[in-house]
Amino acid sequence: MRTYKKKTERGNTSKEDMEQAVNHVLNNNESERSVAKSLNICHVTLHRYVRKVQNSGHNEGPVSLSNVGYSRKPVFDENQAQKLVDYIKHASKIYFGLSPKEVRKFAYECALTYNVTVPDSWNKNKCAGEDWLTQFLKKHEDLSIRTPEATSLQRAISFNKQNVSSFFDKLASVRDKYNFNSATIWNLDETGVTTIQKVSKVLAEKGTKQVGGITSSERGVLVTVLVAVSSSGNSIPPQFIFPRKKYHDYFIRDGPPGSIGAANGSGWMTSDEFFKFMEHFVFHVRPSRENPVLLLLDNHESHLAIKTINFAKENNVIMLSFPPHCSHRLQPLDRSVYGPFKKYLSNSQAAWLRNNPGKSMTICDIPSLVRDALPQALTPINIMKGFKVSGIEPYNRDIFTDDEFLPAGVTDQPLPNAESSATSPVLQLSGSSNANSQDMSQPSTSSAHCEQVIPENDSLSPSLKKISRYRLNSIWNLPF
């Protein structure tokens, strides 16, 4: 019973007090009742422990008791429990964490494998009880129930050692070639801003079934914001892309000083809008042949237009792209700027709704809200922290631990051709056949694609099929 409360104080005597009481009786020849009264111990309990020590053949000297009080033998011993803990941790690290229900079922299967005695309720329900899981979590404080962040399969597969090592090799090559410093390494990325804010937590009456929060409308309108920052902590005014056929200057009238705008039917970034931002970028950064700049960006198709690449070459901008689906780890803006920015923006939108009751937010209100929220997130400390944790500045190719590459290991399998796999890396770079002989003095882009071989279920071994219920396609180190 999870809510049971003891009605007596029996079984609460500490081991030290009981050993002291038994020592007084056996070594000091004191009566059991007087010792029990002085130490506030039940005399019947003391008598039982005294007889237990006498039957064990104790003669003289200090008394040592193995255990005192009510104790229930655990289902798993320490070694078995630790193996189960390690397995649960490993499952969460590779993004296939076990839910509380799955842990209870898995504990029951472990108990059957270890051939240990389990309560009757385990055999009846074919899983461990909720009380066992509660006590298991209390005993192992390094475990807790967490809500995992949704991560696409493409990101889990692409963020592997091969892709990351290839990126850092290219980064080291261009850094050595051009001697970039922290002021000449830049990163740009887009983020979406909608007219519907994310509702924050509020205080309400306990037990209320549903608590509401006002938003501007049912469905929001998206405006794309493009920001560029340097590893020294500097930034340039952002660009706004509005979902309108025709752009008007009053769209960004109340936006951040120096910002620019564009418009298209979707509000998403296209090659034309990105070319305008590159002109904006060159105007503010002023790269030259003596002081070129390195621009790190993702390999979205709007960034790779021939017109844009030629413009970058002519203006001494070296463009280096991140591997596909790796920006969540390698992109500085994603690591330390856009998270706080969205939080501050939601607060600004909530304040706008309170100051304008009965009104709906439009895309023309977005720039003014960004003007208030962006400077709070776009601080030099946040910007430099993003470059540091991604290993870009200062340069650190070993910034990521092996545990961070574990999700990609779930789908790692040998290539069909053993010889080719031994001599050729899994990573293949897209581009022309003479890409390796390309002149490093010319700005270029790189796009890495990781090819993984995932076996079909029919090709799995029987032991692997046994654990397919945990949605795995690779062999785990099971705790039994």
Side-chain angles (χ1 to χ4, degrees):
M1 296 177 61
R2 257 161 270 117
T3 58
Y4 176 77
K5 295 182 179 180
K6 293 182 62 176
K7 299 178 177 60
T8 65
E9 296 297 326
R10 291 184 178 181
N12 292 335
T13 305
S14 65
K15 181 180 178 180
E16 292 76 13
D17 290 343
M18 188 60 70
E19 288 178 346
Q20 181 182 1
V22 174
N23 278 317
H24 280 296
V25 173
L26 295 181
N27 298 330
N28 299 342
N29 296 322
E30 299 181 20
S31 67
E32 294 177 355
R33 286 184 177 271
S34 62
V35 172
K37 185 176 181 180
S38 62
L39 296 178
N40 195 22
I41 300 174
C42 176
H43 69 280
V44 178
T45 303
L46 178 58
H47 176 75
R48 186 173 67 253
Y49 278 97
V50 169
R51 293 294 176 266
K52 185 185 296 185
V53 173
Q54 289 176 340
N55 294 335
S56 65
H58 176 79
N59 294 323
E60 296 181 355
V63 175
S64 179
L65 302 176
S66 58
N67 53 43
V68 175
Y70 300 119
S71 60
R72 180 178 297 177
K73 183 180 179 181
V75 176
F76 302 107
D77 58 31
E78 293 184 2
N79 185 35
Q80 295 168 345
Q82 187 58 44
K83 288 183 178 179
L84 184 58
V85 170
D86 295 339
Y87 182 80
I88 294 173
K89 290 181 179 180
H90 181 71
S92 65
K93 288 178 181 179
I94 63 176
Y95 295 179
F96 284 97
L98 305 180
S99 66
K101 182 70 173 181
E102 289 174 326
V103 171
R104 291 165 54 198
K105 289 183 177 180
F106 190 67
Y108 175 70
E109 295 181 6
C110 290
L112 295 181
T113 304
Y114 288 134
N115 196 23
V116 297
T117 304
V118 298
D120 294 337
S121 60
W122 288 33
N123 294 322
K124 180 180 178 182
N125 300 323
K126 303 300 180 183
C127 69
E130 295 181 8
D131 294 335
W132 172 86
L133 181 59
T134 301
Q135 295 301 321
F136 183 76
L137 294 177
K138 287 182 178 179
K139 186 175 181 180
H140 301 89
E141 297 181 352
D142 52 342
L143 294 178
S144 63
I145 300 176
R146 304 285 299 274
T147 300
E149 182 178 352
T151 305
S152 66
L153 180 62
Q154 290 79 7
R155 285 191 172 186
I157 293 176
S158 296
F159 188 75
N160 53 57
K161 282 188 177 182
Q162 187 70 31
N163 278 353
V164 174
S165 297
S166 177
F167 168 74
F168 278 106
D169 288 341
K170 293 178 174 60
L171 179 61
S173 177
V174 295
R175 285 177 66 107
D176 296 340
K177 180 72 174 180
Y178 297 99
N179 295 321
F180 291 118
N181 54 43
S182 59
T184 56
I185 299 178
W186 288 78
N187 171 228
L188 64 81
D189 189 31
E190 301 91 351
T191 187
V193 177
T194 67
T195 55
I196 296 181
Q197 84 281 9
K198 182 179 179 181
V199 181
S200 59
K201 294 183 179 181
V202 297
L203 293 178
E205 182 181 359
K206 189 175 182 179
T208 305
K209 185 175 181 180
Q210 184 176 359
V211 178
I214 294 296
T215 59
S216 179
S217 59
E218 291 279 342
R219 298 180 62 182
V221 182
L222 183 138
V223 176
T224 299
V225 180
L226 178 56
V227 178
V229 296
S230 73
S231 56
S232 62
N234 295 324
S235 62
I236 66 174
Q239 180 190 34
F240 295 87
I241 303 176
F242 298 91
R244 291 293 184 268
K245 292 291 186 180
K246 189 175 182 180
Y247 172 74
H248 298 282
D249 290 337
Y250 65 82
F251 286 172
I252 59 171
R253 179 180 52 198
D254 299 325
S259 59
I260 61 173
N264 57 46
S266 64
W268 293 88
M269 177 63 70
T270 65
S271 57
D272 293 334
E273 282 73 31
F274 186 71
F275 182 80
K276 293 180 181 178
F277 180 81
M278 286 299 299
E279 294 177 329
H280 176 69
F281 176 81
V282 170
F283 174 78
H284 284 276
V285 179
R286 302 289 183 179
S288 63
R289 184 175 295 275
E290 293 76 18
N291 293 301
V293 299
L294 174 63
L295 183 59
L296 303 173
L297 67 171
D298 58 50
N299 54 2
H300 190 265
E301 60 180 358
S302 62
H303 301 164
L304 306 178
I306 299 298
K307 179 175 65 173
T308 304
I309 295 176
N310 289 334
F311 178 81
K313 287 182 180 180
E314 295 169 358
N315 290 275
N316 303 289
V317 178
I318 314 300
M319 302 175 69
L320 178 64
S321 72
F322 299 108
H325 309 293
C326 294
S327 59
H328 64 296
R329 294 284 191 179
L330 294 174
Q331 184 130 244
L333 282 168
D334 283 343
R335 295 298 301 270
S336 63
V337 174
Y338 282 153
F341 168 63
K342 292 299 179 67
K343 179 181 178 181
Y344 293 128
L345 182 64
S346 295
N347 294 338
S348 298
Q349 289 176 317
W352 188 93
L353 290 175
R354 288 189 175 93
N355 294 330
N356 299 273
K359 294 183 179 180
S360 296
M361 189 180 302
T362 66
I363 59 174
C364 295
D365 300 315
I366 294 295
S368 62
L369 297 174
V370 173
R371 179 193 60 194
D372 297 334
L374 189 60
Q376 301 180 63
L378 212 60
T379 61
I381 294 178
N382 284 354
I383 295 172
M384 290 187 290
K385 188 67 174 179
F387 281 90
K388 181 179 179 180
V389 297
S390 58
I392 296 175
E393 178 63 31
Y395 180 82
N396 182 9
R397 64 180 305 129
D398 299 322
I399 190 70
F400 301 108
T401 62
D402 291 339
D403 288 346
E404 295 178 273
F405 295 118
L406 283 177
V410 174
T411 54
D412 280 346
Q413 297 292 335
L415 293 176
N417 190 343
E419 295 182 358
S420 62
S421 63
T423 58
S424 301
V426 176
L427 182 70
Q428 295 181 353
L429 299 179
S430 65
S432 61
S433 59
N434 59 349
N436 293 332
S437 60
Q438 188 177 15
D439 185 5
M440 289 300 298
S441 63
Q442 298 298 329
S444 62
T445 60
S446 66
S447 176
H449 301 277
C450 182
E451 297 180 356
Q452 300 287 349
V453 180
I454 303 178
E456 299 294 336
N457 290 334
D458 294 339
S459 63
L460 301 179
S461 62
S463 61
L464 195 57
K465 289 181 179 180
K466 180 179 179 181
I467 60 172
S468 61
R469 60 184 176 277
Y470 295 117
R471 308 175 302 279
L472 295 179
N473 283 327
S474 66
I475 299 177
W476 285 12
N477 294 322
L478 292 174
F480 50 79

